[in-house]
Amino acid sequence: MIKDAFGRVHDYLRISLTDNCNLRCFYCMPEEDYDFAPASRLMQAHEIQEIASIFVRHGVKKIRLTGGEPLVRKDAVSILEGLAALPVTLTLTTNGTRLDTCREAIRKGGIRSINISLDTLDPQKFRYVTRRDLFSAVMRNIQYMLDDGLRVKINVVVMKGLNDHEINRFVAWTKEVPVHVRLIEFMPFSGNRWTSNQVMTWKEMLEEIGKEFDFIKLADGEHDTAKAYQVPGHAGTFAVISTMSAPFCSSCNRMRLTADGKLKNCLFSKGETDLLTALRKGEPVEPLIRATMWAKAEALGGQFSKEFDQLNARDIDNRSMITIGG
């Protein structure tokens, strides 16, 4: 069991496979031309398996693969197959563009739920946000996952002036299609040009949705980051991840392993611990994990509070989102 100084048990590990991505979303990747980490600096497949096994031996019950875009790694399928042998719930966060290439591996790996990032239902805006023309591929692959019986969660980063007017379009989508839309408050990371006036808060989102829909609150799990709702009669649901306006740090059970093998005890933590170098030197990894998690701040990496109106993103000491892992 891995605990922090506040008594929180951490049994959920998010593993970034790569900082590379085939999209160029401006809020995640600072520039179009980006220097990705060389392969030698990244965890290799057997190293991911070994480090993940250490976490599992000490209580991890769920592993999520992230990126960048995890499926741009050439060995992503073999990594998935290796981790599927561990006694954990295995899942994946992806931009959805390459899911058609690994449907069989997802099926064999026992993945029953998948998160797909999609910030707009407008093909032209998708091209603007991602700087790539792959909207139709994403929508096709969403349908493939539904056809294969997976629970499909759609991650939508909501930004005022960009896609806030599409919130009700996403909710309407859940009427006939059993997707589970997760509306995410815009968060600050290095290079993403975050400002507080771009944040549409949880309460503002619900107010906007209430203009068109009557909805009910659904029960949330102990460690859920999303506050879930449903329009009665709809096949799917919607939820809000209120990181900025109503943080959920008190019940956090998450740990993040970056693609270059650094453990972050919080999405917003300043510090990180190099597990990969220790592993390669034959040094014990478990004590590093425990020390890192014990040092976890009570909330938001100790860098800011939910009173974010005066927050300057340049004052936050952190990586860009793409180098942390979604």
Side-chain angles (χ1 to χ4, degrees), residues 21-78:
C21 188
N22 57 332
L23 302 182
R24 292 294 183 273
C25 303
F26 66 85
Y27 63 83
C28 177
M29 187 179 297
E31 303 296 341
E32 168 77 39
D33 296 320
Y34 194 78
D35 292 326
F36 299 109
S40 61
R41 279 180 47 202
L42 301 182
M43 294 183 293
Q44 303 305 299
H46 70 280
E47 294 168 333
I48 293 171
Q49 185 76 22
E50 188 170 353
I51 293 175
S53 296
I54 294 170
F55 278 95
V56 172
R57 286 199 297 271
H58 296 284
V60 162
K61 299 175 183 177
K62 180 178 180 179
I63 292 177
R64 177 179 298 279
L65 301 181
T66 69
E69 169 49 45
L71 300 182
V72 301
R73 266 189 75 142
K74 294 179 180 179
D75 57 355
V77 169
S78 64

Side-chain angles (χ1 to χ4, degrees), residues 20-293:
N20 204 338
C21 188
N22 57 332
L23 302 182
R24 292 294 183 273
C25 303
F26 66 85
Y27 63 83
C28 177
M29 187 179 297
E31 303 296 341
E32 168 77 39
D33 296 320
Y34 194 78
D35 292 326
F36 299 109
S40 61
R41 279 180 47 202
L42 301 182
M43 294 183 293
Q44 303 305 299
H46 70 280
E47 294 168 333
I48 293 171
Q49 185 76 22
E50 188 170 353
I51 293 175
S53 296
I54 294 170
F55 278 95
V56 172
R57 286 199 297 271
H58 296 284
V60 162
K61 299 175 183 177
K62 180 178 180 179
I63 292 177
R64 177 179 298 279
L65 301 181
T66 69
E69 169 49 45
L71 300 182
V72 301
R73 266 189 75 142
K74 294 179 180 179
D75 57 355
V77 169
S78 64
I79 292 171
L80 191 157
E81 290 172 345
L83 294 177
L86 296 174
V88 295
T89 298
L90 185 62
T91 186
L92 178 71
T93 293
T94 171
N95 62 31
T97 59
R98 299 194 174 193
L99 281 168
D100 53 321
T101 67
C102 59
R103 288 176 75 180
E104 185 62 23
I106 289 172
R107 196 176 299 118
K108 288 182 177 179
I111 292 178
R112 303 310 309 149
S113 177
I114 195 164
N115 288 23
I116 299 175
S117 299
L118 180 66
D119 297 323
T120 178
L121 292 172
D122 180 337
Q124 291 185 338
K125 184 166 289 182
F126 180 92
R127 191 181 306 115
Y128 167 74
V129 171
T130 67
R131 297 175 253 190
R132 298 293 184 268
D133 190 14
L134 291 169
F135 178 80
S136 60
V138 174
M139 296 302 290
R140 180 181 66 244
N141 287 333
I142 287 172
Q143 189 58 53
Y144 285 158
M145 295 298 103
L146 292 171
D147 292 344
D148 290 344
L150 273 73
R151 178 178 175 87
V152 176
K153 299 177 184 179
I154 305 297
N155 289 347
V156 186
V157 177
V158 180
M159 288 164 275
K160 288 183 178 179
L162 179 72
N163 61 350
D164 53 321
H165 65 283
E166 288 194 69
I167 288 176
N168 284 330
R169 188 175 176 187
F170 275 102
V171 174
W173 189 22
T174 70
K175 182 176 182 179
E176 304 294 340
V177 183
V179 289
H180 303 278
V181 172
R182 291 145 53 95
L183 305 166
I184 303 171
E185 292 180 351
F186 186 33
M187 294 176 279
F189 295 97
S190 178
N192 74 346
R193 297 185 286 274
W194 179 95
T195 57
S196 62
N197 61 2
Q198 294 172 288
V199 178
M200 189 172 197
T201 66
W202 160 48
K203 291 183 178 179
E204 288 174 327
M205 292 186 203
L206 293 187
E207 183 179 350
E208 183 64 22
I209 294 167
K211 294 176 181 178
E212 291 191 29
F213 300 97
D214 294 322
F215 56 86
I216 58 173
K217 182 75 182 71
L218 301 178
D220 297 323
E222 179 183 1
H223 300 295
D224 285 350
T225 59
K227 299 170 177 63
Y229 304 87
Q230 186 172 36
V231 178
H234 279 211
T237 65
F238 71 92
V240 180
I241 298 179
S242 58
T243 306
M244 302 305 297
S245 67
F248 30 80
C249 303
S250 62
S251 62
C252 183
N253 66 336
R254 290 158 174 75
M255 301 172 281
R256 285 178 163 79
L257 187 62
T258 65
D260 55 354
K262 310 296 194 305
L263 177 62
K264 288 179 70 70
N265 58 25
C266 173
L267 183 60
F268 298 108
S269 62
K270 292 182 182 180
E272 53 191 37
T273 301
D274 189 351
L275 303 188
L276 180 58
T277 296
L279 183 76
R280 288 177 175 176
K281 288 181 176 180
E283 298 171 354
V285 172
E286 181 202 345
L288 297 176
I289 295 171
R290 293 195 179 280
T292 301
M293 298 314 301

